[in-house]
Amino acid sequence: MVFKQNLEQLLMQQPIAGRVVLGWDPAFRTGCKLAVVDATGKVLDTAVIYPTAPQNKVAEAEAVLQKLISRYNITLFSVGNGTASRESEQVITDFFRKTGKPLQYVIVNEAGASVYSASKLASLAELVKIDPKAIGVGQYQHDMNQKKLDAALAGVVEKCVNAVGVDLNTASAPLLSHISGISASIARNIVAWREENGRFTLRTQLLKVKGLGPKAYEQCAGFLRIRDGKNPLDNTAVHPESYEAVRQLAGLLQVPMEASALRRVKAMVPDTKAAAAKLEIGEITLCDILSELEKPGRDPRQDMPAPILRSDVLSMEDLTPGMKLKGTVRNIVDFGAFVDIGVHQDGLVHISRMSSRFIRHPLEAVSVGDIVDVTVLDVDIRKKRISLSMVEK
């Protein structure tokens, strides 16, 4: 199914990590809602400003922004692409010019956000909490058997979450509930234990969580990461049942059980078959362990295209035929792909304009989240249509 593949690509997009971000929900009459979020997803502060019509209180809004930036050392704004997005962009870029600071902003897709914002989970943060159907990444999803669709999309979400793994000390209950072996009630118990006892320092502490027994621990442990914990292996996908094999290997190679030292182990094992036999484990298992030791805490989303960070503004009125831009693929349908080029309206790349070779379906050329180079073919401001091409002339 197209929308099943679209959802997987969307969930696996590279996150913006390690920065304090100002989230900006654009609006007119009700004001633009702001939220300052730290690198762990914790909400530090909130505010409402009215820089857009009909209030147009730009000076007051800029004062609030300056205060938040100074207090939390914000360097990045994350702006929704919904109503008043273009007007908010203009306010932001004008503000950037006045401050002279190295600030950037990124336009994010609000698909599904309206449904999410009205839910009980709206006070939390990850995309994984949005009902997959609300994201709108499919062309015929409302024509499908809804029970089967729910099961299929839930499987995609679980696959993506387990492929990436989660930080045990920052993950929310809804995110944890997608990990193999962890039910919704156990996920809540993990968060409750963390709030009562502080951060986890060892994976084995999970066995102290109410309802999480040895069987559930066996299923979930390899997907949960602990950064800066007591055991460096807890920040890898190496399962606890293989820890002893790693210790034996480190002993044979005379390497200390430290993350920096373990990264060198893979280069020190030229014959994996012989080493696996000596350790009495499978060769495939050993190869997986060596790859994890080489890049502890690696997030597979790092291989995905990074979000396009913008420091200028672009409106439909500024677009002219022949203009070359970079954009992000937001949605794929049978007849083409919709690409976000930084204006409120996504542009359409028709399937006939996606490749110089013949393709039967757009998925042969692009995936959701891809960063692509496009050329503007036509702009219809009245109908809000932008025609794009990915084919170089």
Side-chain angles (χ1 to χ4, degrees), residues 226-237:
I226 300 177
R227 303 181 191 278
D228 302 318
K230 294 180 178 178
N231 189 333
L233 299 182
D234 286 348
N235 192 32
T236 70

Side-chain angles (χ1 to χ4, degrees), residues 24-40:
W24 182 306
D25 179 19
F28 288 115
R29 181 180 56 82
T30 56
C32 299
K33 273 68 72 176
L34 309 179
V36 181
V37 182
D38 70 9
T40 67

Side-chain angles (χ1 to χ4, degrees), residues 157-354:
V157 174
E158 186 164 331
K159 174 186 173 183
C160 292
V161 171
N162 285 282
V164 173
V166 303
D167 188 324
L168 186 54
N169 286 312
T170 61
S172 61
L175 178 57
L176 287 167
S177 67
H178 288 289
I179 293 293
S180 298
I182 298 181
S183 64
S185 60
I186 292 177
R188 290 192 294 270
N189 291 342
I190 290 175
V191 174
W193 191 95
R194 191 173 67 202
E195 291 175 349
E196 182 179 346
N197 301 280
R199 68 188 305 274
F200 287 88
T201 57
L202 288 167
R203 274 176 173 164
T204 50
Q205 290 175 312
L206 283 166
L207 293 170
K208 298 179 181 180
V209 174
K210 182 181 177 181
L212 202 159
K215 190 66 178 177
Y217 176 75
E218 183 180 325
Q219 289 181 283
C220 73
F223 302 111
L224 301 171
R225 311 281 188 268
I226 300 177
R227 303 181 191 278
D228 302 318
K230 294 180 178 178
N231 189 333
L233 299 182
D234 286 348
N235 192 32
T236 70
V238 176
H239 195 279
E241 66 185 13
S242 297
Y243 282 11
E244 184 56 35
V246 176
R247 294 190 186 96
Q248 291 180 24
L249 179 61
L252 291 172
L253 299 174
Q254 296 184 334
V255 171
M257 286 292 291
E258 298 173 357
S260 58
L262 291 173
R263 286 176 179 157
R264 305 194 303 267
V265 168
K266 185 175 182 179
M268 300 168 69
V269 184
D271 188 346
T272 54
K273 186 174 183 180
K278 199 164 189 176
L279 296 170
E280 298 182 343
I281 61 174
E283 185 180 4
I284 294 177
T285 299
L286 177 60
C287 290
D288 288 342
I289 290 173
L290 293 175
S291 296
E292 281 298 315
L293 294 179
E294 186 179 34
K295 297 180 179 179
R298 175 181 175 272
D299 189 330
R301 293 172 295 179
Q302 293 169 351
D303 297 333
M304 300 298 289
I308 298 177
L309 301 180
R310 305 180 188 276
S311 57
D312 58 355
V313 66
L314 198 64
S315 65
M316 283 187 67
E317 287 78 4
D318 295 326
L319 297 177
T320 57
M323 184 178 287
K324 296 184 182 298
L325 303 162
K326 277 192 178 294
T328 305
V329 178
R330 294 301 185 195
N331 200 356
I332 295 176
V333 291
D334 291 343
F335 53 84
F338 289 95
V339 178
D340 177 3
I341 55 174
V343 297
H344 178 59
Q345 187 67 36
D346 290 347
L348 172 65
V349 181
H350 190 268
I351 187 172
S352 62
R353 300 282 187 174
M354 300 188 77

Side-chain angles (χ1 to χ4, degrees), residues 86-209:
R86 184 164 66 85
E87 290 76 7
S88 293
E89 276 189 271
Q90 186 64 61
V91 171
I92 290 169
T93 53
D94 289 344
F95 174 70
F96 284 4
R97 293 189 190 99
K98 293 177 184 177
T99 61
K101 294 182 179 180
L103 299 170
Q104 294 176 304
Y105 73 94
V106 60
I107 301 296
V108 295
N109 196 341
E110 290 187 0
S114 58
V115 175
Y116 168 65
S117 64
S119 73
K120 293 182 179 180
L121 295 175
S123 60
L124 304 173
E126 295 91 343
L127 176 67
V128 74
K129 297 172 189 148
I130 299 176
D131 181 348
K133 291 190 294 183
I135 296 176
V137 293
Q139 188 177 1
Y140 305 114
Q141 66 185 58
H142 301 294
D143 300 325
M144 301 289 293
N145 179 298
Q146 295 302 294
K147 187 174 181 180
K148 291 182 178 179
L149 178 61
D150 283 337
L153 296 184
V156 173
V157 174
E158 186 164 331
K159 174 186 173 183
C160 292
V161 171
N162 285 282
V164 173
V166 303
D167 188 324
L168 186 54
N169 286 312
T170 61
S172 61
L175 178 57
L176 287 167
S177 67
H178 288 289
I179 293 293
S180 298
I182 298 181
S183 64
S185 60
I186 292 177
R188 290 192 294 270
N189 291 342
I190 290 175
V191 174
W193 191 95
R194 191 173 67 202
E195 291 175 349
E196 182 179 346
N197 301 280
R199 68 188 305 274
F200 287 88
T201 57
L202 288 167
R203 274 176 173 164
T204 50
Q205 290 175 312
L206 283 166
L207 293 170
K208 298 179 181 180
V209 174

